[in-house]
Amino acid sequence: MQSLKDQTLHQFDRIVVIHNVGSLGPMNQCTNDLTDINVWHDYYDLNVFVPAILNGVIMQIFNEKTNTEKLVVNITSLYGTKPGKYLSYYCSGKAAREMFFKVFAVENPEINVLNYSPGPVETDMYYEICNDLADKQVKTEFKDMLTKKTVLTCEQTVNRLLMVLKEQKYKSGDHVDYYDEL
Ligand SMILES: NC(=O)c1ccc[n+]([C@@H]2O[C@H](COP(=O)([O-])OP(=O)(O)OC[C@H]3O[C@@H](n4cnc5c(N)ncnc54)[C@H](OP(=O)(O)O)[C@@H]3O)[C@@H](O)[C@H]2O)c1
């Protein structure tokens, strides 16, 4: 960010910001056992506070004076709208982060904001769920998607994201899932 401050910001016609960072947090305790505030702090620091603050810093740099067109994509999840057992950190963090970007969208109507939910994608995170989630039924469902090869590749979900962005059929701030028909 410091290096950007030294640039001539006017040379950027447009910026694209993708908030992709994400972690699952511990997946072996139910809500009543989540009493260690340090674990909550660590989880929310990475998954909610850092994206929110980073976004603010970028918007302060590319402010109204630079007249830069802005696209901001928050990578969210179905689990930001649907509860999953033993996934309190992940579900609540995704919901909070998504709502932050919805507020950001209504406050900044000139900025194009998308909350994109990429579907089940074969990444390290996906294998973490297959290995560590305490909910055996959901764990089995995730493993089944691997064996049946119905899990998505990164390429598939990125192509869908590009299509969603190209078609522009969503309203700024909306949650759009890989499987949504727009
Ligand atoms: N995979 C799925 O099925 C799925 C479904 C719905 C939503 N998502 C969302 O998609 C996004 C990407 O997840 P993924 O599946 O690609 O998971 P992943 O393979 O575990 O990648 C996580 C990403 O977060 C970064 N990250 C994790 N911990 C970090 C830390 N302490 N400091 C800095 N960066 C850190 C990683 O950076 P490094 O590569 O540098 O480690 C990586 O870019 C996440 O927001 C996730 O919630 C994934």
Side-chain angles (χ1 to χ4, degrees):
M1 285 304 146
Q2 193 55 47
S3 63
L4 267 180
K5 285 185 174 159
D6 302 331
Q7 303 280 332
T8 309
L9 297 176
H10 297 279
Q11 69 189 309
F12 294 92
D13 296 333
R14 120 201 295 220
I15 59 164
V16 177
V17 184
I18 302 193
H19 295 286
N20 179 62
V21 67
S23 67
L24 290 158
M27 295 179 283
N28 58 356
Q29 289 173 303
C30 57
T31 46
N32 294 343
D33 296 326
L34 306 183
T35 51
D36 184 341
I37 197 160
N38 294 319
V39 182
W40 279 107
H41 276 161
D42 286 349
Y43 188 80
Y44 269 66
D45 276 352
L46 180 72
N47 290 281
V48 183
F49 303 150
V50 165
I53 291 168
L54 178 63
N55 196 66
V57 170
I58 296 170
M59 296 308 132
Q60 285 170 16
I61 293 172
F62 292 97
N63 55 27
E64 60 284 351
K65 286 187 211 135
T66 67
N67 199 24
T68 317
E69 189 185 326
K70 291 178 251 293
L71 167 64
V72 174
V73 180
N74 173 43
I75 303 299
T76 187
S77 169
L78 182 59
Y79 278 125
T81 59
K82 165 186 168 269
K85 283 186 198 167
Y86 306 103
L87 287 169
S88 286
Y89 296 113
Y90 190 69
C91 292
S92 67
K94 282 295 187 199
R97 175 162 145 180
E98 184 169 320
M99 183 50 80
F100 171 84
F101 282 100
K102 284 179 184 286
V103 173
F104 170 68
V106 291
E107 285 177 351
N108 298 275
E110 75 289 0
I111 302 179
N112 184 353
V113 184
L114 173 66
N115 284 295
Y116 178 66
S117 170
V121 191
E122 189 174 356
T123 62
D124 290 350
M125 182 179 279
Y126 192 92
Y127 283 98
E128 258 185 79
I129 292 185
C130 292
N131 291 329
D132 300 338
L133 182 61
D135 183 339
K136 294 207 164 45
Q137 191 190 327
V138 173
K139 190 170 163 169
T140 305
E141 286 168 17
F142 271 71
K143 285 182 173 172
D144 283 352
M145 279 193 270
L146 274 178
T147 44
K148 289 178 185 155
K149 298 198 188 308
T150 48
V151 63
L152 302 170
T153 63
C154 291
E155 193 178 1
Q156 278 177 299
T157 197
V158 169
N159 283 338
R160 176 73 185 129
L161 169 61
L162 293 176
M163 188 57 76
V164 170
L165 292 173
K166 191 174 165 196
E167 291 182 348
Q168 282 296 310
K169 289 186 183 159
Y170 61 89
K171 189 165 87 326
S172 184
D174 277 356
H175 170 120
V176 176
D177 187 85
Y178 175 90
Y179 294 105
D180 286 347
E181 282 183 27
L182 296 179

